[in-house]
């Protein structure tokens, strides 16, 4: 029957030891389309690709808002929420890595494909695709704002009152201009260099954030009480802060797509190298998140900004450099989150609407997407409120409990077993988070919007 056990990197192969190409039912046209699409186009990633893609996806703008989230949660609840989130999301990430090839002979290269397997063809799409799109597009919009704000902060620090004040709108446009170029890289492996630079930057600016805060020492008028004067305000802020933390653990939305780039054979399935990469990524996440959150709050208390680098001004050169690092990092993060969106758009256009795969098609669709995220970012640059709103609304399901529901549906653990109980605890926590944090985030946006002028 020909050679045995070559990479079964494409979607289907039989359970016997036959090379997948000889049982592949796809037509030549379908194979060509899959080779063109961003997620299935390249399958030669090493395990460390998964490490820095995951760091880039996870350690985003969210880390800078963690001291602010701590100020709205308080010491006890804040530390508990951070630790529980780290443990729960590592567990759900492990589940997704395991489920990537849970059906012998098939790879679930995209989140919605796993959803379709768990919930059925149509229902799986309806459940997963809207949430995944909200997360990925939402993150890219927030990163437009973050990139623009960090560029502005860099400009203001370097100029030191000698330059003309430039509107945030223009800085968001400058940040977007990079993506009009980078968005034309064909697939996830093609952006691995950008992603590596982004991962290094995230570790660097996180370290600068907490060391600069530590050097300042605890501020003389530090206050660890809740900032809101009313109970209602405190509760809403608490809810919003939960969303901020959820936003900080958002890598699950691209984890299957990252794993899809790793080669896989029967002897060496992709989950081995992928899991190794995830462990490294989560160690980096802990090194970034916990010192920034705890030291930032300890030094500034409730007077910390929703982006700690906005609070720090001295030493000027170091904070300016950190803001530039944030810009480089969110450039990489934007691309990691945009790639699955490009894949969805291009799949629909080519497979459903029968467009011919071409550079022109890619050029038009990707530029429209970048322009859209730029425009929304310019219109609504509410960093903290956006984090809380998106964090709860879509991140909680796709990160905290959707993998658990899929696991219960596909693996069917015995009722009251450890696996069954663990998954139900995660589901209850995730649903609670999904309900309360958008309420807090939306209220924060409304409060901030009172004194806001469009295109300011």
């Amino acid at each position: 029957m020909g050679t045995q056990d070559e990479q079964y990197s494409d979607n289907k192969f039989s359970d016997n030891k036959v090379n997948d190409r000889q049982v592949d039912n796809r037509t030549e046209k379908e194979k060509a389309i899959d080779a063109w699409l961003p997620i299935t186009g390249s399958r030669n990633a090493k395990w460390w690709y998964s490490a820095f893609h995951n760091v880039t996806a996870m350690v985003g703008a969210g880390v800078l808002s963690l001291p602010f989230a701590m100020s709205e949660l308080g010491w006890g609840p804040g530390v508990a929420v951070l630790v529980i989130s780290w443990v729960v999301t590592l567990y759900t990430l492990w589940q997704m890595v395991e489920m990537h090839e849970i059906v012998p002979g098939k790879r679930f290269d995209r989140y919605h494909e796993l959803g379709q397997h768990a919930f059925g063809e149509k229902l799986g799409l309806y459940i997963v695709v809207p949430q995944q799109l909200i997360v990925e597009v939402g993150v890219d919009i927030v990163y437009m704002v973050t990139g623009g704000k960090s560029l502005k902060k860099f400009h203001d620090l370097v100029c030191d009152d000698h330059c003309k004040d430039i509107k945030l709108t223009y800085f968001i446009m400058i940040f977007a201009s990079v993506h009009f170029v980078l968005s034309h890289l064909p697939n996830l492996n093609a952006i691995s260099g950008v992603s590596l630079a982004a991962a290094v930057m995230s570790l660097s600016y996180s370290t600068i954030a907490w060391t600069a805060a530590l050097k300042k020492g605890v501020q003389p008028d530090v206050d660890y009480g809740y900032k809101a004067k009313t109970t209602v305000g405190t509760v809403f802020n608490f809810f919003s802060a939960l969303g901020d933390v959820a936003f900080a653990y958002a890598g699950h939305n691209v984890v299957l797509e990252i794993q899809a780039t790793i080669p896989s054979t029967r002897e060496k399935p992709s989950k081995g190298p992928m899991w190794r990469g995830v462990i490294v990524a989560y160690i980096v996440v802990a090194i970034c998140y916990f010192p920034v959150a705890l030291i930032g709050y300890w030094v500034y208390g409730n007077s910390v900004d929703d982006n700690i680098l906005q609070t720090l001004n001295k030493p000027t050169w170091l904070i300016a450099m950190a803001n530039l690092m944030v810009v480089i990092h969110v450039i990489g993060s934007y691309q990691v989150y945009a790639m699955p969106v490009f894949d969805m758009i291009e799949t629909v256009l080519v497979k459903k609407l029968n467009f011919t795969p071409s550079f022109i098609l890619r050029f038009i669709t990707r530029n429209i997407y970048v322009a859209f995220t730029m425009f929304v970012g310019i219109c609504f640059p509410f960093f903290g409120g956006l984090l809380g709103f998106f964090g709860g609304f879509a991140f909680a399901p796709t990160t905290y409990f959707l993998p658990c529901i899929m696991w219960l549906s596909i693996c069917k653990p015995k009722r009251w077993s450890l696996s069954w109980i663990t998954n139900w605890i995660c589901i209850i926590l995730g649903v609670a988070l999904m309900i309360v944090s958008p309420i807090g985030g939306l209220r924060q946006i409304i409060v901030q919007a009172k004194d806001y002028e469009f295109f300011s």
Side-chain angles (χ1 to χ4, degrees):
M1 287 291 287
T3 57
Q4 292 187 352
D5 268 2
E6 285 191 22
Q7 289 182 357
Y8 51 87
S9 296
D10 288 314
N11 265 354
K12 294 192 178 137
F13 55 85
S14 66
D15 277 340
N16 57 26
K17 293 249 179 173
V18 179
N19 178 351
D20 67 317
R21 287 179 202 161
Q22 290 166 312
V23 291
D24 198 337
N25 300 322
R26 296 174 303 159
T27 63
E28 287 304 315
K29 185 183 174 187
E30 285 172 332
K31 287 179 189 173
I33 288 171
D34 281 344
W36 181 77
L37 289 170
I39 301 302
T40 47
S42 178
R43 302 243 201 213
N44 56 7
K46 305 287 188 283
W47 73 266
W48 53 87
Y49 283 37
S50 114
F52 52 72
H53 279 325
N54 274 298
V55 170
T56 302
M58 195 84 67
V59 187
V63 65
L64 299 173
S65 73
L66 289 177
F68 182 71
M70 285 289 296
S71 75
E72 295 185 330
L73 293 168
W75 276 117
V79 173
V81 167
L82 274 179
V83 174
I84 290 167
S85 287
W86 192 87
V87 173
V88 167
T89 55
L90 181 59
Y91 172 65
T92 54
L93 201 51
W94 169 79
Q95 288 180 312
M96 294 197 71
V97 171
E98 287 290 316
M99 288 189 286
H100 182 78
E101 291 168 293
I102 200 152
V103 175
K106 191 171 173 65
R107 293 184 74 171
F108 296 112
D109 293 323
R110 299 165 179 90
Y111 205 142
H112 66 83
E113 289 174 7
L114 184 62
Q116 286 174 298
H117 177 66
F119 308 122
E121 283 294 311
K122 276 202 167 157
L123 187 60
L125 276 180
Y126 293 148
I127 290 174
V128 176
V129 171
Q131 295 191 63
Q132 198 181 5
L133 273 176
I134 288 167
V135 168
E136 286 159 359
V137 179
V139 167
D140 282 344
I141 290 167
V142 171
Y143 284 169
M144 277 287 175
V145 177
T146 312
K149 279 193 169 178
S150 298
L151 267 178
K152 182 169 168 50
K153 180 78 173 175
F154 172 77
H155 170 268
D156 294 347
L157 284 167
V158 171
C159 276
D160 194 25
D161 300 332
H162 300 309
C163 303
K164 187 184 169 198
D165 189 43
I166 300 173
K167 286 181 179 179
L168 176 62
T169 297
Y170 295 118
F171 285 106
I172 294 175
M173 286 176 176
I174 294 165
F175 179 76
S177 64
V178 180
H179 296 293
F180 283 114
V181 178
L182 284 181
S183 291
H184 300 295
L185 290 168
N187 52 48
L188 265 175
N189 280 350
I191 60 166
S192 55
V194 180
S195 190
L196 174 60
V200 171
M201 289 299 134
S202 62
L203 191 56
S204 306
Y205 71 68
S206 298
T207 308
I208 288 172
W210 69 260
T211 49
L214 197 61
K215 191 170 184 303
K216 279 205 160 171
V218 180
Q219 298 302 291
D221 54 347
V222 70
D223 180 6
Y224 299 118
Y226 294 118
K227 199 185 288 185
K229 299 289 178 278
T230 63
T231 309
V232 174
T234 303
V235 170
F236 276 121
N237 287 348
F238 190 94
F239 289 168
S240 180
L242 291 174
D244 289 357
V245 175
F247 192 101
Y249 292 96
H252 297 55
N253 290 278
V254 290
V255 72
L256 293 177
E257 287 81 354
I258 292 169
Q259 194 168 344
T261 64
I262 296 176
S264 192
T265 61
R266 235 176 269 274
E267 286 77 24
K268 289 185 178 174
S270 63
K271 67 181 180 183
M274 182 66 188
W275 182 238
R276 204 178 317 157
V278 167
I279 290 295
V280 171
Y282 255 72
I283 290 168
V284 174
V285 165
I287 292 169
C288 290
Y289 283 18
F290 292 103
V292 172
L294 302 177
I295 293 171
Y297 180 46
W298 178 62
V299 169
Y300 290 104
N302 66 17
S303 64
V304 72
D305 278 315
D306 60 2
N307 175 339
I308 187 165
L309 290 181
Q310 305 286 331
T311 312
L312 296 159
N313 286 310
K314 295 275 189 290
T316 307
W317 65 271
L318 190 64
I319 305 308
M321 202 165 75
N323 276 283
L324 210 51
M325 288 173 176
V326 173
V327 174
I328 296 167
H329 176 237
V330 292
I331 285 171
S333 286
Y334 182 100
Q335 290 300 320
V336 169
Y337 279 97
M339 207 52 84
V341 181
F342 296 153
D343 184 79
M344 281 189 212
I345 295 167
E346 287 161 19
T347 301
V348 170
L349 289 173
V350 172
K351 290 189 174 178
K352 296 275 189 292
L353 304 175
N354 296 317
F355 279 84
T356 308
S358 66
F359 171 76
I360 294 295
L361 182 70
R362 209 162 245 182
F363 183 81
I364 294 167
T365 53
R366 295 189 178 192
N367 280 346
I368 289 171
Y369 175 78
V370 174
F372 169 75
T373 53
M374 177 187 78
F375 180 73
V376 179
I378 288 168
C379 291
F380 305 103
F382 310 120
F383 181 73
L386 283 172
L387 288 190
F389 183 71
F390 283 125
F393 190 54
F395 286 67
T398 51
T399 303
Y400 287 76
F401 67 86
L402 207 51
C404 298
I405 295 172
M406 290 176 178
W407 186 269
L408 291 173
S409 170
I410 295 167
C411 302
K412 299 183 170 52
K414 198 181 286 182
R415 185 173 285 203
W416 305 114
S417 65
L418 181 62
S419 172
W420 188 88
I421 292 168
T422 306
N423 282 299
W424 273 108
I425 290 170
C426 293
I427 290 166
I428 291 163
L429 287 173
V431 170
L433 185 63
M434 181 185 76
I435 292 166
V436 300
S437 55
I439 299 169
L442 194 59
R443 179 182 175 273
Q444 218 171 56
I445 291 171
I446 292 163
V447 169
Q448 288 175 329
K450 279 179 191 165
D451 348 288
Y452 178 65
E453 290 173 24
F454 269 101
F455 306 115
S456 58

